[in-house]
Amino acid sequence: MEPRANVSYITVDGYVEVHRYRYLYFVLMLTAYLLILCTNSTVVYLICLHRDLHQPMYVLIAALLLNSVIYSSTIYPKLLQDFLSEEQTITYSACLFQYFAFYSLAGSEFLLLAVMAYDRYVAICTPLRYPAVMRRRRVAALLLLAWVAPSILVVVPTITNANKKLCHFVFKGIICNSTIYDLLCQRSQILNIYGLIVLVNLVILPVIFILFSYIRILLVSYQSSREVRRKAAQTCLPHLLILINFSSFGIYDVLLLRLNTTVPKTVRFLITLQMIMYQPLFNPIIYGLKMREISKHLKKLFARKVLG
C-alpha cells in the first residue's frame, strides 16, 4: 500500500558533508540562532519599555524584528536537530507546516516593509498630516493586515498539497520551500497560477509601492533643506538595504526553484543559509545601531549592565 502523504517521511538531501562537519555546523547555527533571538528581542524590549519609542516608526520596527524571531524559530530548531542526526528526515505534514510558515512570514516581511515605507512617505512628504494619518488604530490595522493576509493566501496551497499523493520521498533542500512540489506525482496548473497571484500580491506589488514611495521621498527631500535630506537618508536607507537583500533571495526562490533550474548542492546549501541568516541577523543591527533613538537606549542599557 502506498503511504499517505500526511504520514510520509521525507529524506532531506540538501546538506553538504553534514556527518564530517556536523558539530561545526551545529555550533555555528546555534550561535546564529541565539544571536537572532537575543538581538531582535532586545530591540523589541526597548521599544516596548520606553514611551518615547511608542511612535509608529518604532512600533513597525518592533513588528519587523518580532517577525524575524518567529520566522527563525520555525526553521532553526529543525536545522539544529538535523545537524546532530544520522539521517535527516521530516514528516510531510511537518514539511507543509514549515512551508506555510516560511512563505506567510516572508510575505509579512514584504508587507511590513511596505507599511514602513508608507509611514516614512507620510512623515517626510506630508509631515503636517502625519499625526492624523498614522493614528494608533490605523497602525494596528495595518500590522494585522500584514500578518493575516499572507497567512490566508499561503494556507490555500498548503491545505491542497496536504491531500496530494507523493511519488518522491527525497527532498532536495534544507528547508521546505517551493521544492516540495518536486515530491508530488502531478503538479496542479491551477496552483501554479495561484502561486503567481500570491507572488504578485505579497512581493511584486509591495516592492513597487516601496520603490514608488522612496522615489517620492527622494524627490521631496532633494528640494528641501539639508536636515530633511539627512532625515530621509537616515530612515529610508536601512529600509532599502533590507528590501534589496530580501528581494534577491526571493528571486532565487522563484527562478531557481519553481522553474526547476539545476543548482549544485553546495550552492543551494550556501544560498539557503544566507537566506535564513542575513535578514534576521542584520535587522537589529540596521534598526538598532543605525537608528539614533534606539541606539541611545541600547547604550544606556549596556552601560547599566556594565556598571551594575
Side-chain angles (χ1 to χ4, degrees):
M1 179 180 295
E2 196 166 37
R4 296 288 296 172
N6 59 347
V7 295
S8 298
Y9 279 85
I10 303 165
T11 300
V12 181
D13 187 33
Y15 293 90
V16 181
E17 297 184 353
V18 171
H19 293 287
R20 185 175 178 182
Y21 301 107
R22 66 167 64 186
Y23 297 112
L24 175 61
Y25 285 138
F26 178 82
V27 171
L28 290 176
M29 296 305 293
L30 179 61
T31 303
Y33 185 44
L34 292 176
L35 282 173
I36 289 169
L37 292 180
C38 294
T39 55
N40 284 275
S41 300
T42 299
V43 178
V44 172
Y45 166 75
L46 288 176
I47 293 174
C48 294
L49 181 65
H50 297 284
R51 295 186 62 86
D52 61 322
L53 298 180
H54 293 179
Q55 302 174 29
M57 179 176 69
Y58 301 113
V59 171
L60 294 173
I61 290 174
L64 189 71
L65 301 186
L66 180 61
N67 194 72
S68 295
V69 171
I70 301 173
Y71 172 84
S72 300
S73 297
T74 63
I75 296 174
Y76 278 84
K78 180 62 175 70
L79 289 180
L80 293 172
Q81 177 188 337
D82 284 346
F83 287 133
L84 295 182
S85 301
E86 291 293 331
E87 293 184 356
Q88 290 76 45
T89 60
I90 186 172
T91 62
Y92 186 58
S93 57
C95 191
L96 283 175
F97 173 77
Q98 193 178 76
Y99 167 90
F100 168 77
F102 177 77
Y103 283 112
S104 60
L105 292 170
S108 296
E109 186 96 5
F110 281 105
L111 293 182
L112 287 170
L113 289 171
V115 176
M116 294 171 75
Y118 176 68
D119 173 75
R120 292 299 85 205
Y121 170 79
V122 177
I124 295 174
C125 297
T126 57
L128 297 180
R129 297 183 59 235
Y130 184 80
V133 173
M134 298 303 293
R135 291 172 296 179
R136 181 174 299 180
R137 185 172 298 179
R138 177 168 295 179
V139 173
L142 290 173
L143 287 176
L144 184 64
L145 178 65
W147 271 312
V148 172
S151 298
I152 294 174
L153 291 174
V154 178
V155 78
V156 174
T158 305
I159 294 175
T160 304
N161 288 330
N163 298 317
K164 288 186 174 294
K165 186 172 67 172
L166 301 182
C167 285
H168 306 282
F169 296 90
V170 178
F171 178 76
K172 296 182 179 180
I174 63 173
I175 59 174
C176 294
N177 49 18
S178 58
T179 52
I180 66 169
Y181 288 97
D182 295 334
L183 304 174
L184 304 178
C185 296
Q186 185 177 5
R187 290 194 179 192
S188 170
Q189 191 64 30
I190 295 177
L191 276 183
N192 286 337
I193 296 173
Y194 181 82
L196 291 175
I197 295 173
V198 173
L199 177 68
V200 169
N201 283 279
L202 295 185
V203 179
I204 296 177
L205 290 180
V207 169
I208 292 174
F209 176 79
I210 292 168
L211 293 177
F212 171 78
S213 299
Y214 287 142
I215 289 172
R216 288 285 301 157
I217 289 173
L218 290 174
L219 291 175
V220 170
S221 60
Y222 179 76
Q223 300 170 356
S224 303
S225 64
R226 179 179 297 180
E227 178 62 23
V228 173
R229 290 196 295 270
R230 186 193 62 80
K231 180 181 178 181
Q234 183 184 33
T235 58
C236 296
L237 185 59
H239 300 175
L240 285 175
L241 291 174
I242 293 293
L243 177 67
I244 292 170
N245 181 61
F246 207 62
S247 299
S248 61
F249 292 125
I251 293 171
Y252 157 78
D253 183 78
V254 173
L255 295 182
L256 299 186
L257 300 180
R258 293 188 67 89
L259 298 181
N260 291 325
T261 304
T262 302
V263 182
K265 183 186 291 188
T266 304
V267 175
R268 187 189 304 118
F269 178 75
L270 292 175
I271 292 179
T272 304
L273 284 184
Q274 293 178 62
M275 182 164 46
I276 63 177
M277 289 178 66
Y278 279 9
Q279 199 78 357
L281 283 173
F282 285 165
N283 277 350
I285 295 174
I286 291 175
Y287 293 115
L289 298 180
K290 297 299 183 182
M291 304 295 286
R292 186 171 58 183
E293 292 302 316
I294 297 178
S295 179
K296 180 179 66 176
H297 289 293
L298 275 174
K299 292 176 182 177
K300 289 182 179 179
L301 175 65
F302 288 120
R304 286 200 301 269
K305 293 293 183 182
V306 172
L307 297 176

